Amino acid sequence: MENQEGTQQPHLVLAYKLFLLTHHDVQDIEKVRLKEEVLTAIKSDDMVPLYETLVAESLLEKDQSLLDSVRAKNEDELNKLDEKIADAEENLGESEVREAHLAKSLFYIRIGDKDKALEQDKVTEGKTVAVGQRMDLVFYTLQLGFFCMDFDLISKSIDKAKNLFEEGGDWERKNRLKVYEGLYCLSTRNFKKAADLFLDSISTFTTYELFPYDTFIFYTVLTSIISLDRVSLKQKVVDAPEILTVIGKIPHLSEFLNSLYDCQYKSFFSAFAGLTEQIKLDRYLHPHFRYYMREVRTVVYSQFLESYKSVTIEAMAKAFGVTVEFIDLELSRFIAAGKLHCKIDKVAGVLETNRPDAKNALYQATIKQGDFLLNRIQKLSRVIDL
């Protein structure tokens, strides 16, 4: 489980390969290579629980001799760890006892046995006094949570880490936690909070165990585009030196961001099409693929329409490099869903914007809430009278 700075945690690399192995858009010949790499990783870390799961799901073929061999290695290593713990408890100090228990925790994490890893983590935590070391245990648990995509475990671990910071904690670990929480928010479709956390972490990023810095910038730009207003996007993303140094290395991302800000809508759609495969094949973004695609189109259509009180459908279609029929169908869906504030005059072939006034919107919301409150009071009074 220990990893050098600048390298992704091996189990999370493996988790990505397992995700691709089950993805219907990945070609069969690619899946053959992925199976070989997954099996190599399983053998390397003696991951019996994962191997048994993949065999049960028919993703790997069962090799009984391999299974027996790996089980024997696990039992042998576990015996040695237990002997080391016993020796530390009898002959050594508290620090050595804690290190022996930590080694057993990392063993269970390495082989992918989540339940036993969590049990051993509790034992290790009981032997740990320093807040920083207890925080490190939480980070190990978070990595296990992301490997298994156990969002309940991740959420509880983030809350636990925040409570530990109230007891004291260094800024380096606090900044790392922001990225972990940002990834959790990204994975659970809270893109606004994910963008805020990622942007706060750009200049202090050291969380290479989760993903490379390029991937971090990829997530930061994608979440920011659908979360920030135009001014904030310019200040925090378009002109951010940390982003500028990396964004060119990621296919289509620079054009995606800059063409949106520069209102080059045809180029934006071209870059958008190029990014769809990356988003679809991302382990954390894949479940939200359709939602993200809708949100991005809402942003770009809204930005275009803000410049006009009325505009022809043909002019908009030309600006985006698509057909009139496509724009007509797209806008009809977004208007019906309440995503765009405009109406289509089919006869004249014109779009008329009807952006709600902020004060009027607040007034309407107050009236609506007031009516709701009065209805509740009337129902309550009838119950009391009975």
Side-chain angles (χ1 to χ4, degrees):
M1 288 293 295
E2 299 288 352
N3 55 281
Q4 297 177 348
E5 182 177 331
T7 60
Q8 190 175 6
Q9 211 279 333
H11 278 37
L12 295 181
V13 176
L14 174 61
Y16 176 62
K17 291 177 180 178
L18 289 171
F19 163 73
L20 293 178
L21 197 56
T22 58
H23 200 294
H24 57 82
D25 285 342
V26 177
Q27 295 182 353
D28 289 341
I29 191 168
E30 178 69 9
K31 289 184 177 180
V32 171
R33 182 185 64 80
L34 287 167
K35 280 186 180 182
E36 293 175 355
E37 292 179 358
V38 166
L39 190 58
T40 299
I42 288 172
K43 291 177 181 177
S44 175
D45 285 331
D46 304 322
M47 303 178 75
V48 171
L50 178 61
Y51 181 68
E52 290 176 328
T53 299
L54 295 178
V55 168
E57 294 174 353
S58 301
L59 290 174
L60 291 178
E61 295 179 3
K62 187 174 182 179
D63 183 338
Q64 191 61 48
S65 61
L66 171 62
L67 191 56
D68 293 340
S69 171
V70 176
R71 276 179 179 158
K73 287 174 69 177
N74 280 350
E75 289 175 10
D76 182 54
E77 189 169 351
L78 193 55
N79 288 334
K80 289 178 181 178
L81 288 168
D82 286 335
E83 289 172 5
K84 188 175 179 181
I85 290 172
D87 178 60
E89 289 177 341
E90 289 178 16
N91 307 308
L92 302 172
E94 293 179 356
S95 177
E96 288 79 8
V97 170
R98 188 256 174 195
E99 289 299 319
H101 278 287
L102 176 61
K104 189 174 180 180
S105 294
L106 296 179
F107 165 76
Y108 281 129
I109 294 173
R110 192 195 80 206
I111 67 171
D113 194 330
K114 185 178 76 170
D115 294 336
K116 289 184 178 179
L118 294 175
E119 289 175 15
Q120 184 59 34
D121 273 354
K122 290 180 181 178
V123 177
T124 306
E125 186 179 7
K127 308 289 182 182
T128 305
V129 177
V131 174
Q133 291 178 332
R134 288 160 68 191
M135 275 294 306
D136 289 339
L137 282 174
V138 176
F139 283 127
Y140 287 133
T141 304
L142 283 167
Q143 290 168 25
L144 183 62
F146 281 116
F147 175 73
C148 303
M149 293 297 260
D150 185 339
F151 295 125
D152 184 54
L153 175 62
I154 295 168
S155 177
K156 289 177 179 176
S157 298
I158 289 171
D159 290 339
K160 185 176 181 179
K162 289 179 178 179
N163 290 332
L164 282 172
F165 275 120
E166 293 179 4
E167 300 177 25
D170 59 86
W171 282 101
E172 191 273 334
R173 287 185 175 91
K174 189 171 185 178
N175 287 329
R176 284 178 65 201
L177 182 62
K178 285 183 182 179
V179 181
Y180 278 83
E181 187 178 2
L183 183 57
Y184 167 68
C185 292
L186 176 80
S187 304
T188 54
R189 202 178 284 186
N190 189 349
F191 292 130
K192 176 70 172 71
K193 189 172 182 181
D196 291 340
L197 289 164
F198 287 153
L199 288 167
D200 281 347
S201 309
I202 281 187
S203 59
T204 58
F205 180 85
T206 57
T207 323
Y208 298 100
E209 68 272 15
L210 282 183
F211 36 58
Y213 190 63
D214 290 9
T215 303
F216 171 68
I217 295 299
F218 177 68
Y219 292 153
T220 302
V221 172
L222 258 58
T223 53
S224 295
I225 277 179
I226 63 171
S227 304
L228 302 183
D229 58 64
R230 187 172 169 81
V231 174
S232 298
L233 188 69
K234 174 70 170 174
Q235 293 173 345
K236 297 180 179 181
V237 183
V238 175
D239 292 339
E242 296 89 352
I243 291 177
L244 289 171
T245 57
V246 175
I247 195 170
K249 301 176 185 177
I250 305 166
H252 309 291
L253 191 61
S254 179
E255 185 182 7
F256 182 64
L257 172 64
N258 290 301
S259 59
L260 172 66
Y261 185 78
D262 295 335
C263 303
Q264 301 295 323
Y265 299 112
K266 193 178 294 186
S267 298
F268 175 83
F269 257 34
S270 175
F272 188 32
L275 277 175
T276 54
E277 196 71 9
Q278 290 175 254
I279 298 171
K280 192 185 295 184
L281 294 179
D282 185 274
R283 182 170 178 248
Y284 303 106
L285 287 169
H286 170 73
H288 318 295
F289 174 72
R290 291 185 181 278
Y291 173 82
Y292 184 81
M293 293 310 197
R294 286 196 301 271
E295 289 301 299
V296 168
R297 277 145 52 208
T298 300
V299 168
V300 71
Y301 293 149
S302 296
Q303 178 175 292
F304 176 86
L305 292 170
E306 274 180 12
S307 304
Y308 303 94
K309 186 170 180 61
S310 66
V311 62
T312 64
I313 301 175
E314 185 178 356
M316 187 171 180
K318 186 176 181 181
F320 282 88
V322 295
T323 64
V324 170
E325 291 75 15
F326 176 83
I327 282 292
D328 184 39
L329 182 61
E330 280 274 275
L331 296 185
S332 298
R333 290 171 178 168
F334 283 96
I335 293 169
K339 294 284 188 180
L340 294 177
H341 301 290
C342 64
K343 60 182 181 179
I344 301 175
D345 184 339
K346 292 283 287 184
V347 176
V350 172
L351 292 164
E352 296 180 1
T353 60
N354 53 353
R355 294 185 295 277
D357 177 72
K359 288 183 179 179
N360 185 53
L362 181 61
Y363 173 75
Q364 294 297 332
T366 304
I367 294 295
K368 186 176 181 180
Q369 291 168 5
D371 287 343
F372 177 74
L373 179 60
L374 286 172
N375 289 334
R376 293 294 296 271
I377 291 172
Q378 288 172 355
K379 288 180 181 178
L380 182 60
S381 66
R382 286 197 293 270
V383 172
I384 294 171
D385 290 341
L386 291 173

